[in-house]
Amino acid sequence: MTPAELEVADLCVELIRVDSSNYGDGSGPGERAAAEVVMARLAEVGIEATYLESAPGRGNVITRVEGTDPSLPALLVHGHLDVVPANAADWTVDPFSGEVRDGYIWGRGAVDMKDMDAMMLAVLRQLTRDGRRPRRDLVFAWLADEEAGGTFGAKYLTKHHPGLFEGVTEAISEVGGYSLEVAPSLRLYLIETAQKGLAWMKLVADGTAGHGSMLNSDNAVTEVAKAVARIGSHDWPLAYTPTVRRFLVEIADAYGLPFDEDDPSVLLDRLGPLVRFVGATLRHTANPTQLDAGYKSNVIPGQASAVIDGRFLPGFEDDFFKTIDSLIGPKVRREFVHHDIALETTFDGALVESMIAALKAEDPAARAIPYCMSGGTDNKTFFADLDIRGFGFVPLRLPAGMDFASMFHGVDERVPVDALQFGVRVLERLLLDY
Ligand SMILES: [Zn+2]
């Protein structure tokens, strides 16, 4: 084993032991301590990385490795240092222990995403110790605040220090690159090339306030309730983006099944628990999540509101809002609580070829396929704003049948040690060869 393979598990454990929970309200410990681990491990091999705080305790680490060919555009490799909180009472182990048991590292962040943070560290330390240089500039970034929208991480850096990303045209990060075993001779590696957009919408109805005992044909509560019911029970039709179509065609081929466009459920069933990652990418979704109206049983309020969590498919944003507006009706207006773009890139080009080659070199049974995720990552908005083409690529060869999707933000989050070692080998190949 190479030194990078030997140390990646220890690095991951060390990072998990630093509680960097992000509560989204500024009350957490921040990322400084985790960033200090990264800085120290880089300093050990002589790398003086840049440490930037967007607010007290909200630490980001970034460093650039100069490539041998300055004519090539740079590649960004990024991971976030924060994690979502964990309720220790629910867990089999202490979520911040980084306990290694049965070949797995257990703990909050083991897959989201201190695994990749550690793989990036291990590979960069190895390249530096060996004095090997990549062909193109590589920008490594360990970021704060991804779990609460990136304000103190990706947003801060791209807004206030865009020069750090000069010459960068592509990026790799979470959530993709993991395997789905079809048979011992065929493992699909799902590379994320698309993300749904996000529309958190507040619906507001204004009506005539009055006494609850009297006739009232202009009741704000009634109007909002009708709009919420129409949206919540709307049956969104199937709509295939190029990524989702390609994904389903590949799944059909891998399992030797037909792809029935009108009923892809047979294919989705074959994905097992991974259906949680992709099931919601075949159509828009709009789920009512909050209702707010009134203050007393016999008082009709003048205003009522609700919140809808809408997720729209890349390329179909106009269609989504047209439908939403027709469902809302004329008496209800909508405002954005939060609005974020959808992303989709093609599954081609030299970076994709290099990812495929690196996977195949380490796993002859590998076949890489693109997929769309229903959530979002730092690649969305902030890096997309800088015209950086992003991919989800954290290479992990997982055991057959592992319920990987439930690890994200889940109880007993864990990652196989040998998957990290595999990831280090793939990443090292990719970063050197590309
Ligand atoms: Zn994440």
Side-chain angles (χ1 to χ4, degrees):
M1 262 194 234
T2 63
E5 286 173 77
L6 287 170
E7 72 176 17
V8 67
D10 289 342
L11 292 169
C12 185
V13 167
E14 189 177 6
L15 287 167
I16 288 171
R17 284 186 179 156
V18 180
D19 180 356
S20 53
S21 296
N22 188 347
Y23 295 88
D25 59 2
S27 67
E31 297 83 357
R32 180 189 290 161
E36 280 171 353
V37 168
V38 174
M39 293 289 288
R41 294 293 163 230
L42 293 177
E44 269 177 2
V45 296
I47 298 172
E48 274 187 49
T50 304
Y51 177 73
L52 289 164
E53 282 199 353
S54 47
R58 309 309 301 268
N60 297 274
V61 180
I62 189 156
T63 188
R64 182 180 284 252
V65 182
E66 218 176 290
T68 54
D69 184 348
S71 73
L72 292 173
L75 174 71
L76 170 65
V77 187
H78 63 99
H80 60 81
L81 288 170
D82 60 325
V83 294
V84 292
N87 181 15
D90 300 333
W91 283 56
T92 305
V93 303
D94 171 356
F96 298 101
S97 66
E99 191 173 323
V100 181
R101 190 192 281 191
D102 305 328
Y104 285 75
I105 300 170
W106 296 58
R108 177 57 84 223
V111 307
D112 186 12
M113 61 174 297
K114 287 175 171 172
D115 55 345
M116 179 64 162
D117 292 333
M119 282 155 56
M120 288 160 54
L121 260 182
V123 170
L124 179 52
R125 281 161 58 90
Q126 171 105 39
L127 295 185
T128 308
R129 279 187 303 243
D130 295 351
R132 282 180 296 168
R133 282 173 66 192
R135 296 173 60 223
R136 65 190 64 235
D137 279 16
L138 301 175
V139 177
F140 285 80
W142 290 265
L143 304 169
D145 201 32
E146 193 276 342
E147 296 291 1
T151 303
F152 297 103
K155 183 176 181 180
Y156 169 79
L157 291 184
T158 51
K159 197 165 169 225
H160 297 282
H161 302 276
L164 293 168
F165 306 100
E166 183 154 352
V168 174
T169 57
E170 293 165 319
I172 59 170
S173 188
E174 59 179 348
V175 174
Y178 51 87
S179 66
L180 168 67
E181 185 160 321
V182 177
S185 59
L186 178 58
R187 264 178 295 279
L188 301 177
Y189 285 80
L190 278 60
I191 298 177
E192 180 261 301
T193 57
Q195 303 182 5
K196 283 177 91 175
L198 181 152
W200 291 342
M201 297 167 287
K202 186 174 183 184
L203 309 185
V204 184
D206 292 305
T208 305
H211 199 289
S213 69
M214 299 178 190
L215 294 174
N216 188 320
S217 59
D218 186 29
N219 186 320
V221 179
T222 306
E223 290 307 323
V224 156
K226 284 199 282 194
V228 165
R230 282 192 297 262
I231 291 174
S233 53
H234 182 66
D235 201 3
W236 294 92
L238 288 165
Y240 297 105
T241 71
T243 298
V244 172
R245 181 178 295 277
R246 168 93 183 259
F247 174 78
L248 291 173
V249 166
E250 294 275 6
I251 294 290
D253 183 64
Y255 286 99
L257 293 165
F259 169 31
D260 179 354
E261 285 202 20
D262 297 324
D263 181 17
S265 60
V266 178
L267 291 180
L268 294 177
D269 286 347
R270 302 311 291 261
L271 297 175
L274 276 186
V275 77
R276 261 176 283 170
F277 270 147
V278 296
T281 65
L282 277 61
R283 45 171 56 91
H284 303 304
T285 58
N287 286 306
T289 51
Q290 290 177 275
L291 281 170
D292 187 27
Y295 52 91
K296 196 171 182 302
S297 307
N298 60 352
V299 180
I300 299 167
Q303 192 176 79
S305 67
V307 176
I308 308 288
D309 182 348
R311 310 289 176 128
F312 52 89
L313 294 167
F316 293 87
E317 184 168 353
D318 291 346
D319 165 74
F320 174 76
F321 286 115
K322 231 175 86 187
T323 306
I324 286 288
D325 287 339
S326 73
L327 293 169
I328 285 174
K331 292 195 170 169
V332 176
R333 65 178 190 274
R334 70 172 161 86
E335 302 160 0
F336 282 123
V337 177
H338 190 64
H339 182 201
D340 207 347
I341 57 166
L343 275 186
E344 183 161 38
T345 186
T346 49
F347 193 58
D348 57 10
L351 176 55
V352 169
E353 296 303 323
S354 294
M355 290 193 281
I356 293 171
L359 284 170
K360 278 191 114 36
E362 294 298 335
D363 180 1
R367 188 197 294 177
I369 64 173
Y371 89 104
C372 175
M373 67 179 287
S374 55
T377 71
D378 273 339
N379 275 337
K380 192 141 70 180
T381 323
F382 314 123
F383 292 126
D385 264 358
L386 296 183
D387 285 329
I388 295 172
R389 183 184 181 215
F391 294 89
F393 189 67
V394 175
L396 295 174
R397 180 181 158 168
L398 301 173
M402 180 180 173
D403 182 0
F404 190 60
S406 76
M407 295 290 122
F408 285 79
H409 300 189
V411 168
D412 287 344
E413 183 178 348
R414 59 196 182 276
V415 69
V417 170
D418 62 5
L420 290 185
Q421 292 162 346
F422 171 84
V424 159
R425 294 195 298 273
V426 173
L427 209 54
E428 188 180 312
R429 278 181 190 278
L430 173 68
L431 298 182
L432 274 176
D433 294 348
Y434 177 47

